[in-house]
Amino acid sequence: MTHNLAEGFARNFLGNAPLWYKQAIIGFLILNPILFLVTTPFVTGWVLIAEFIFTLGMALKCYPLQPGGLLAIEAVVLGMTSPESVYHEIEANIKVILLLVFMVAGIYFMQNLLLYVFTKLLVKVRSKVLLSLLFCFVSAILSAFLDALTVTAVLITVAVGFYDVYHKVFSKGHVPKELADAHTEDLSKFRAFLRSLVMHGVVGTALGGVCTTVGEPQNLLIAETMGWNFIEFVEVMAPITFPVLICGLITCALLESQSKGMFGYGMKIPENVRNILIEFSEEQDKHRGHKETAELIIQGIVAIILVFALAFHVAEVGIIGLMIIVLLTAFNGVIEEHQIGHAFEEALPFTALLVVFFGIVAVIHDQHLFSPITNLVLSMDVSQQAPMLFVANGILSMISDNVFVATVYIGEVKAAFESGSISREHFEDLAVAINTGTNLPSVATPNGQAAFLFLLTSALAPLIRLSYGRMVIMALPYTFVLGGVGLASLIYFT
């Protein structure tokens, strides 16, 4: 109970977030105008980035949309960027926004098919190493021809489905005493099991996404700038992407082969949980009527349409997503507004957060926060530029957005080529460095790749206790392998 109006305002601000967190955000909002007045917009801009990363890191304490949004609004008010610049960033990324709004909702209407397929896979493949390799490799292949966010949406849907199956058994209360006694330990192990599978899968989206023009948004931008078609892009990137893919899969196998739980990997599914999933699968098969079977068939047909539509790029991904929603809801009888509305609950908060993130990116752009690094790299000896560009792009992608970083750097390099400062051959080497540099080391943090950020802020993350810090730790071995092998391949194979 609040004792006065001031206390009421204080309690309402950021809701149930811890008091220290509220005080930190208020401190940031007070600090920024002071820094802006006594230092420079450049310094304030870098502090703003650090503050925004803090809000992402505390995503389980408070969804980053509100605190991050307040920081972005303040940046506009202070004049560090403008509404026009923010709109320009949104306009440049409208394809990603459409994808999130419609494709993620489309995947929601496929959840029964996905749960059916992956439950069969989970109960039949007993080897955690093989299962992890399957998740990683299939995610890589799908991301090479579809896109990372769509594949991540599938991973999230599958993992939430597994968790719900297990949770519903215990929420009903009718479980044997020995299962109830082991529930707490099994739940903790099951969460660790799901965390590792999902992380292998989402890293797989980075392994596959770097290979082709459609894998990541910046790939297409780079390909268009260089005049490379799909096959040419694959061939140019292969000396780096192929060794990285092989080493990434080896890393996946090694992480799951150890039993010490290093970096959060190695946990096998508890036998009690496996038995519950087997029973669920058998129960579903036994009671599946003609209506439910027809729904699965429709979802299977639409899934095939989705794969071909994305592989042949018949339209922008978001538009294809809308088509999937129409087909699945029409032929499976989902025709009431509130039923359709549930599909958008997962994607829209993240879409709003991504727009806020574009506001921070607008500050980076308007205040030229990356310019000193760009100038330093391009002033180096020609033989050092490609490796250093890889490193610079990797580091900046960890704290910013890899699409934005790639856009900035390919523009700078193109300008250098058009001015006659570099040759065409060197221009191609630098383009390869930019593509691989923004795609591979950026797995280090959720900031770098939209798929990772989507996972962190999804409904799945709190269920399996996947925090920002835990994601960074779990990504660490992959960061060193993908970054190290990518850099070595760039130096020795190109």
Side-chain angles (χ1 to χ4, degrees), residues 109-119 295-304:
F109 291 112
M110 276 188 195
Q111 58 185 340
N112 289 340
L113 174 68
L114 293 170
L115 189 59
Y116 173 80
V117 171
F118 280 91
T119 302
E295 284 180 5
L296 287 179
I297 292 170
I298 290 295
Q299 288 177 23
I301 293 169
V302 173
I304 294 169

Side-chain angles (χ1 to χ4, degrees), residues 169-412:
V169 170
F170 284 91
S171 62
K172 288 176 182 175
H174 305 297
V175 291
K177 185 178 186 303
E178 60 271 17
L179 280 184
D181 292 342
H183 171 55
T184 303
E185 186 181 351
D186 282 348
L187 180 58
S188 177
K189 289 179 178 178
F190 188 41
R191 282 171 172 157
F193 172 81
L194 288 178
R195 278 197 304 269
S196 59
L197 276 188
V198 171
M199 281 300 294
H200 289 310
V202 82
V203 169
T205 67
L207 289 170
V210 67
C211 297
T212 66
T213 54
V214 296
E216 293 281 352
Q218 71 266 33
N219 300 18
L220 188 57
L221 170 69
I222 292 168
E224 288 174 350
T225 302
M226 302 305 298
W228 292 329
N229 61 31
F230 185 94
I231 300 298
E232 288 171 335
F233 185 92
V234 172
E235 289 175 346
V236 169
M237 297 298 162
I240 299 170
T241 56
F242 187 72
V244 166
L245 175 61
I246 297 300
C247 292
L249 292 173
I250 292 171
T251 304
C252 174
L254 290 175
L255 286 170
E256 289 301 338
S257 298
Q258 51 92 25
S259 57
K260 296 180 180 178
M262 290 175 63
F263 301 105
Y265 296 103
M267 180 61 69
K268 294 177 173 59
I269 185 169
E271 201 57 38
N272 289 334
V273 179
R274 178 186 290 279
N275 292 335
I276 286 171
L277 292 175
I278 291 171
E279 287 174 18
F280 167 78
S281 179
E282 291 172 348
E283 195 75 14
Q284 290 291 101
D285 291 344
K286 191 187 301 181
H287 293 97
R288 187 175 293 113
H290 295 304
K291 182 177 182 294
E292 290 75 21
T293 303
E295 284 180 5
L296 287 179
I297 292 170
I298 290 295
Q299 288 177 23
I301 293 169
V302 173
I304 294 169
I305 293 171
L306 170 63
V307 170
F308 277 96
L310 287 170
F312 291 98
H313 201 65
V314 298
E316 289 303 333
V317 179
I319 305 301
I320 294 172
L322 181 56
M323 176 186 73
I324 296 305
I325 292 172
V326 172
L327 292 175
L328 287 172
T329 53
F331 287 96
N332 281 338
V334 183
I335 57 171
E336 295 180 19
E337 185 179 359
H338 74 274
Q339 290 177 299
I340 299 168
H342 289 307
F344 293 89
E345 289 175 0
E346 177 72 26
L348 286 183
F350 178 69
T351 307
L353 173 61
L354 201 62
V355 171
V356 167
F357 184 56
F358 293 147
I360 304 298
V361 170
V363 173
I364 295 172
H365 190 268
D366 287 356
Q367 299 304 325
H368 309 287
L369 299 186
F370 293 168
S371 292
I373 302 168
T374 308
N375 297 334
L376 177 65
V377 170
L378 293 178
S379 67
M380 290 180 174
D381 183 77
V382 171
S383 62
Q384 296 179 317
Q385 285 184 10
M388 287 309 299
L389 204 55
F390 179 95
V391 173
N393 275 262
I395 293 171
L396 293 175
S397 293
M398 292 176 194
I399 59 174
S400 179
D401 167 50
N402 60 355
V403 178
F404 169 73
V405 174
T407 304
V408 170
Y409 273 91
I410 198 66
E412 296 282 347

Side-chain angles (χ1 to χ4, degrees), residues 151-173:
V151 177
T152 305
V154 171
L155 291 170
I156 291 168
T157 301
V158 168
V160 169
F162 286 154
Y163 186 90
D164 283 348
V165 169
Y166 179 71
H167 180 70
K168 282 174 183 174
V169 170
F170 284 91
S171 62
K172 288 176 182 175

Side-chain angles (χ1 to χ4, degrees), residues 96-127:
V96 178
I97 292 170
L98 284 174
L99 184 156
L100 284 168
V101 172
F102 295 121
M103 183 57 79
V104 175
I107 297 299
Y108 173 88
F109 291 112
M110 276 188 195
Q111 58 185 340
N112 289 340
L113 174 68
L114 293 170
L115 189 59
Y116 173 80
V117 171
F118 280 91
T119 302
K120 296 292 184 188
L121 185 67
L122 192 65
V123 298
K124 290 186 186 302
V125 180
R126 296 189 71 89
S127 167

Side-chain angles (χ1 to χ4, degrees), residues 452-472:
F452 281 59
L453 189 59
F454 182 36
L455 174 60
L456 174 68
T457 57
S458 69
L460 174 65
L463 295 180
I464 60 174
R465 305 297 187 264
L466 186 63
S467 64
Y468 187 101
R470 185 166 264 160
M471 277 189 80
V472 170

